[in-house]
Amino acid sequence: GWQSRIGCVNSLVVAPRTNTVIAGGDNATVALDVKGQELWASTELNRVACVASSLGEEQTVAVGTRSGTVACVTGGTVLWRNQAEGCVAAVCYRGDSQEVLAASLDGTLTCFDKNGKALWTYRSPIGFRFVASSFDGNTIAAAELSGKVVLLNKAGRPVAETDPVPGAIRAFA
């Protein structure tokens, strides 16, 4: 079964329209229906650090790996794959668009278009741990490892930032 192939589950998301569960693990990425039956699996998408479901296309997911791969997958088919500069700590879709935001521990935040082309990259001297987008995609928030949160517009330009927050930021939604 899928449980033995995936290894340790590192990230999990439920698609908002279909309730499809996407689990990213050390050995594979797997999609499950609401009864736990496997819909598709990809062993080439392994060492997964993060997964995110799109809001528009129910079966489309973004995957980020510890080896720096960012990929977009639909129905088990890899639509595109790109290489980030470091371990991808978080991915999300920019609002309801097909653009994928990837935050890396090396301090890069990159926005990829629906074909995997990098539209823009924002760099920080400190790595990023989380990234989130408003529903309309106009506001992007990225949390640095220092605890500082940077707010960017949809073009990747910073509009505001917080002072570093003492302690590590553990969750961001």
Side-chain angles (χ1 to χ4, degrees):
W2 64 268
Q3 297 92 334
S4 62
R5 283 199 322 271
I6 194 168
C8 178
V9 174
N10 299 321
S11 187
L12 195 63
V13 68
V14 178
R17 295 194 180 171
T18 63
N19 292 328
T20 300
V21 175
I22 309 297
D26 286 340
N27 303 327
T29 302
V30 176
L32 308 169
D33 67 16
V34 294
K35 294 181 180 177
Q37 298 300 308
E38 183 179 307
L39 298 172
W40 59 263
S42 172
T43 55
E44 65 182 285
L45 293 173
N46 54 41
R47 302 187 71 218
V48 174
C50 49
V51 294
S53 178
S54 70
L55 298 174
E57 295 181 32
E58 298 82 0
Q59 289 292 311
T60 304
V61 295
V63 177
T65 72
R66 293 191 306 271
S67 56
T69 299
V70 180
C72 192
V73 184
T74 188
T77 301
V78 176
L79 300 175
W80 60 263
R81 176 190 315 258
N82 211 320
Q83 190 66 33
E85 293 181 22
C87 172
V88 179
V91 291
C92 74
Y93 282 88
R94 192 183 65 77
D96 62 355
S97 76
Q98 290 299 304
E99 295 174 4
V100 174
L101 299 166
S104 297
L105 294 178
D106 72 344
T108 59
L109 174 63
T110 303
C111 180
F112 297 96
D113 72 9
K114 66 179 184 175
N115 298 312
K117 177 185 173 197
L119 298 174
W120 53 261
T121 297
Y122 176 80
R123 296 188 189 282
S124 167
I126 299 175
F128 287 106
R129 179 64 185 100
F130 297 104
V131 64
S133 172
S134 61
F135 183 76
D136 64 9
N138 290 325
T139 302
I140 298 161
E144 291 182 348
L145 295 172
S146 69
K148 179 170 78 172
V149 176
V150 180
L151 299 178
L152 302 104
N153 64 19
K154 66 182 179 180
R157 292 186 192 89
V159 294
E161 62 183 48
T162 68
D163 289 329
V165 178
I169 295 175
R170 299 282 180 210
F172 206 67

